[in-house]
Amino acid sequence: MSNDYKASKEAFVSGMTGSTIGHINMISLASLLSIALHSAVRTRLPPSRSFQFMTEALLLVLPMLLSVTLFANSPLVLCLILAIPTGLLLLLPRRESGTFLPSSLRHSRQSSRASNTSQQTIPSRPLSIPVPPLPALTTYRAHMLILTIICILAVDFPVFPRFLAKCETYGVSLMDIGVGSFVFSQGIVSAIPLVKNPAHLTEPLLPKVTTVLRKCSAVLLIGLLRTISVKGTEYPEHVTEYGVHWNFFITLGLIPIIQVLLHPVMVYVPISLLGLVVAVSHQLALSTGRLAQYVLDAPRIGVVSANKEGLISLTGYLAIHLLGLSTGTLVLAPSPSYFRRRQQQLAEHAQGDARQRPSTSDSDTDDDVPVSAQASPVSPISPTSPVSPGSPLSPSPANIPSRTRVKVRRENDKTATELCSYAVLWWVLLGALRLFDIGAGVSRRMANLQYVIWIAAYNSTFILGYLVLDLVFFPSPLSRSVYSPTSKLKIHPDAGVLKATGHEAGAGRGREGSGREGTGAQPLLEAINKNGLMLFLLANVTTGLINLSMQTIYASDWVAMVVLTLYSFGISAVAWTCRHRKIWRF
């Protein structure tokens, strides 16, 4: 690569000021509408096994490619192109699916009695509840990865508008939202061990740090190899993104380690509040501690100053991760309040303040943990067992015997309602920050307060969108709260009927509670989500090879579209081919 072309390439992706938040949201809306169209096709038309991959790619990948290239300046047109056939398909009758009969529903009083019976045989250690896949979350993560994979190559072509490329210092763009969304998504997934067993927060730090360090070592190694390869091949780079040696993989690898060190604090402080405290503290350091001036003006005369963007933005990305972690405890748990209640019990127990809680009503018990259990005989708990009343080990719906098979269902309607309140809160807070010009604007480079809140607002909104689409197109008694019109008690599906009809949560490949084969997350998106890291690495390598083999910044729009279509469909084909196995476990 000649020095002249390298300089031209670096100038091509430098000095960007971005677009507007409304424009970015309109471009991203194509993602939701493509899922709506795919769901309409899936529920109204007979499936075609022969052309399944091409159908998935055309409905799920192509709209995202078009949204950031040919339709980037007119996203409303693309949204209408996707919305009109979706509306027409909704006029057709649904394909038949399994439905619940009235006799298959039972009042929660019966389940409460069963729960009370099971509580008499509870051992002295807590249960790790299962966390079945959430199709809306799978869709969100896979769509985000597809968009990222497309953008990392598309940004090198003129067909990709410059206002979508990463901003130099301040501003909003689609690629700015991508890196923050990766960290937010990482936080959501990191909530799985906390939802399974909230007492994980109180476990010894050293074993947890060792485990997370082992898991993150692969990502850190990739970051090191990327730095070596970029320097060795003189590949064009933009040092104001993260620094001379730092890159996004290093940030991704370090954040989970820092998060684990904060577990003792999370016992007493809500995770969302902790994330806000970290974000506000970071902004104070930028504004009053002159860190912002250091990032913008300090010369790169040492290892620290050479990587000042990566080091200083790490705190802001940690705040994003914590807000994602908080969202994960909300959407992955059986009910929105589940983790909060367990966290409060942990705090009470740790303070030595545990009190015997008054017996809850039937509906309260069911609201906290919607479960059905098949208990195997265990020894009854003795009066001398070391269990403090009100502690995390005390009898509760979450502490069912370890040899009990527990089937947890999610009340996604309640989750959607609470997630909506968080999304509104983040957008209002972002509006207030922009109104009073706190932080001087959105800055991905420094991951300031406005950037952190924008990432939380954007991702909460789009996860909510996927969750609502899930509830609309695949309704089920297992995904919402149902109350008797006469007794006002909650109604639960009968466990025997669930087993007989295949409606059990987490059974097979079906969507949680859908009762039909193949109604989980979209097959292509499930495949992408299964091997996300490997596909991202493959996309990075492919992007490098394409850039080394052609002068992308001089390519015409149609040449660029051919290359980008082959590239995005090729990555999708690799994911589809490997959909039944995980390529790399670490």
Side-chain angles (χ1 to χ4, degrees), residues 7 40 192 379 450 467 477 482 505 530 537 545 564:
I192 292 176
S379 302
Q450 284 198 34
L467 195 58
V482 182
K530 178 174 286 188
L537 292 177
L545 292 175
L564 290 171

Side-chain angles (χ1 to χ4, degrees), residues 410-418 471 479-482:
R410 292 192 181 96
E411 296 180 335
N412 288 338
D413 55 340
K414 286 187 174 182
T415 300
T417 301
E418 187 153 341
L471 289 167
S479 61
R480 63 185 64 196
S481 307
V482 182

